Amino acid sequence: DSLLKELQDLETEHPQLITVDSPTQRVGSDPLNSFKQIKHRMPLLSLANAMNKEEIIAFYEKIETRLNNNSNIEYICEPKIDGVAVELVYENGIFAYGSTRGNGEIGEDITNNLRTIKTIPLKLLNDYEMPTLLEIRGEVFINHKDFSYMNQTRLKNNIQPFANPRNSAAGSLRQLDSMVTAQRPLKIFCYAPGVINGIKLISQEQFLSVLPKWGLPVNPLVEKCYSLKDIISYYDKIESLRNRLEYDIDGIVIKVNSFNNQKILGERSKSPRWAIAGKLKPQQITSVINNIEISVGRTGAITPVAKVEPVYLGGVTISNITLHNQDEINKKNICIG
Ligand code: IVH
């Protein structure tokens, strides 16, 4: 803080010395009245879902057939981060603007808010050739630890806590006053290219390996797979790691590695044929019912609520669980203890 203050004083005295990536340039813009709309040069597609291993196998087989059973097809597997999709646009290495996904074609200009995220470089590092235009897609999220600290502080100050890390990340990016966003512990993982001009990249693997050279964060659990067996072991591995991760994920993403192969496979209207989201089962955890209380709704409807020993799951602490009605309680033979 004291160094930042010293820097601010120096920059006030010598404004000609302010650089585009000075830490003082992350906050300070006036609150907006509304967000401008931004048309994406290339639509931000979503992903088709594979709900279980069988659907992953079906995806794999379709790819192998469509690419003529070429046995050398490589895949890149990544965790599917449960956050908020954004696009960052760099012009000649300088962060120019950024937007939300919106409807995939048009998003909202959240540049000021993205500037407050410390791990988003305002100027790219020079460890790789510099593209004239670089569009990067990524997911903004909040860590479990940061989330629970933030909620504890909100509770202490009599402010309604956030429901979960994803909601709070989304709410934070939607602030018209970026000073508010700057207080939120937002992080980002980058995972997909948009339009890139001035350099040629040939695969997802190469793309992900270049991002850190520009200073852009990439999830460390990305793996290259050469077979269906590799993909399934990746799925199992991420499923078993899930509870120990510092952030929420809701699956894995399997992508055909070569950009050339991606082009051959092409896209449907809303999602690419070369990638799929392998969903993970909803998380489960065990607890003990300490009491059953009756909650009376606004309309007078009564609902039994189990008060359970608090358990932490998917970024939230659970202490109340609806039991719906007496029939449900009877059917499942739910008892205190
Ligand atoms: S790739 C064309 N990779 O999942 C491919 N998406 O349901 C575009 N997401 O909107 C997406 N982690 O918000 C990709 N490693 C990852 C991802 C990821 C999370 C989100 C993203 C996207 C949604 C698709």
Side-chain angles (χ1 to χ4, degrees):
D1 284 350
S2 68
L3 286 171
L4 187 68
K5 174 77 179 60
E6 190 181 339
L7 182 62
Q8 268 159 350
D9 291 345
L10 282 168
E11 288 181 345
T12 314
E13 243 175 85
H14 308 280
Q16 76 279 12
L17 297 182
I18 301 175
T19 58
V20 285
D21 58 339
S22 165
T24 60
Q25 301 305 295
R26 290 196 178 270
V27 279
S29 41
D30 290 334
L32 304 169
N33 292 323
S34 63
F35 293 115
K36 262 194 340 215
Q37 297 212 315
I38 288 196
K39 185 164 171 27
H40 303 299
R41 284 187 184 81
M42 210 169 107
L44 268 78
L45 297 176
S46 91
L47 293 166
N49 288 329
M51 301 313 287
N52 48 47
K53 282 187 189 169
E54 288 66 41
E55 291 184 13
I56 292 180
I57 297 171
F59 164 79
Y60 177 86
E61 284 173 351
K62 231 185 255 167
I63 298 282
E64 299 284 313
T65 319
R66 286 210 168 109
L67 295 176
N68 297 325
N69 288 314
N70 174 343
S71 54
N72 298 322
I73 302 164
E74 296 168 352
Y75 297 83
I76 297 295
C77 291
E78 306 168 11
K80 186 168 185 291
I81 314 298
D82 194 7
V84 184
V86 299
E87 175 165 78
L88 311 175
V89 181
Y90 288 86
E91 292 169 355
N92 297 308
I94 307 294
F95 178 58
Y97 56 91
S99 55
T100 59
R101 178 175 183 278
N103 62 6
E105 304 277 338
I106 295 172
E108 285 180 321
D109 181 345
I110 52 162
T111 309
N112 292 345
N113 292 344
L114 291 169
R115 290 179 84 84
T116 69
I117 302 179
K118 294 200 183 67
T119 53
I120 295 183
L122 298 179
K123 185 177 168 191
L124 297 180
L125 298 180
N126 235 332
D127 288 352
Y128 197 82
E129 249 179 293
M130 196 56 71
T132 47
L133 175 72
L134 176 70
E135 292 185 343
I136 299 287
R137 281 87 193 263
E139 200 85 355
V140 170
F141 65 97
I142 294 183
N143 263 344
H144 294 155
K145 231 196 245 147
D146 291 336
F147 174 76
S148 72
Y149 180 76
M150 194 171 71
N151 261 357
Q152 276 164 26
T153 315
R154 287 173 79 86
L155 278 171
K156 257 189 234 148
N157 295 315
N158 277 325
I159 308 172
Q160 173 100 12
F162 289 110
N164 57 53
R166 207 200 75 82
N167 276 2
S168 64
S172 304
L173 287 179
R174 237 183 279 117
Q175 294 295 326
L176 291 165
D177 183 356
S178 62
M179 296 292 265
V180 177
T181 314
Q183 311 299 318
R184 306 279 168 80
L186 299 171
K187 297 208 158 54
I188 188 167
F189 282 132
C190 300
Y191 50 66
V195 175
I196 300 182
N197 291 339
I199 63 158
K200 177 134 183 72
L201 299 172
I202 58 160
S203 66
Q204 176 72 2
E205 179 184 31
Q206 190 194 12
F207 168 72
L208 292 179
S209 72
V210 168
L211 290 180
K213 297 185 180 161
W214 287 321
L216 292 158
V218 172
N219 186 282
L221 294 170
V222 173
E223 269 178 35
K224 188 167 170 182
C225 291
Y226 299 88
S227 64
L228 179 61
K229 195 167 148 262
D230 287 357
I231 294 173
I232 298 295
S233 339
Y234 182 83
Y235 178 86
D236 290 339
K237 176 177 134 180
I238 296 294
E239 182 165 57
S240 68
L241 269 179
R242 185 185 198 181
N243 264 331
R244 279 173 280 150
L245 294 180
E246 292 168 338
Y247 44 86
D248 281 348
I249 60 167
D250 58 348
I252 63 165
V253 185
I254 308 159
K255 303 174 180 177
V256 169
N257 186 25
S258 139
F259 287 164
N260 200 28
N261 278 339
Q262 290 186 4
K263 212 164 130 201
I264 295 171
L265 291 159
E267 274 124 33
R268 298 178 210 90
S269 66
K270 291 267 182 289
S271 59
R273 284 205 186 81
W274 46 263
I276 200 158
K279 294 296 223 178
L280 293 174
K281 275 192 248 65
Q283 280 174 287
Q284 295 187 5
I285 196 159
T286 306
S287 185
V288 179
I289 298 180
N290 290 331
N291 200 5
I292 295 178
E293 291 178 3
I294 300 299
S295 130
V296 183
R298 222 172 10 93
T299 59
I302 60 167
T303 309
V305 176
K307 300 281 168 183
V308 298
E309 200 53 45
V311 277
Y312 188 73
L313 182 75
V316 291
T317 302
I318 299 163
S319 39
N320 299 320
I321 300 169
T322 179
L323 299 177
H324 304 293
N325 52 53
Q326 188 64 48
D327 287 347
E328 196 66 18
I329 294 178
N330 295 347
K331 193 166 87 195
K332 292 187 173 155
N333 191 22
I334 291 169
C335 307
I336 292 171

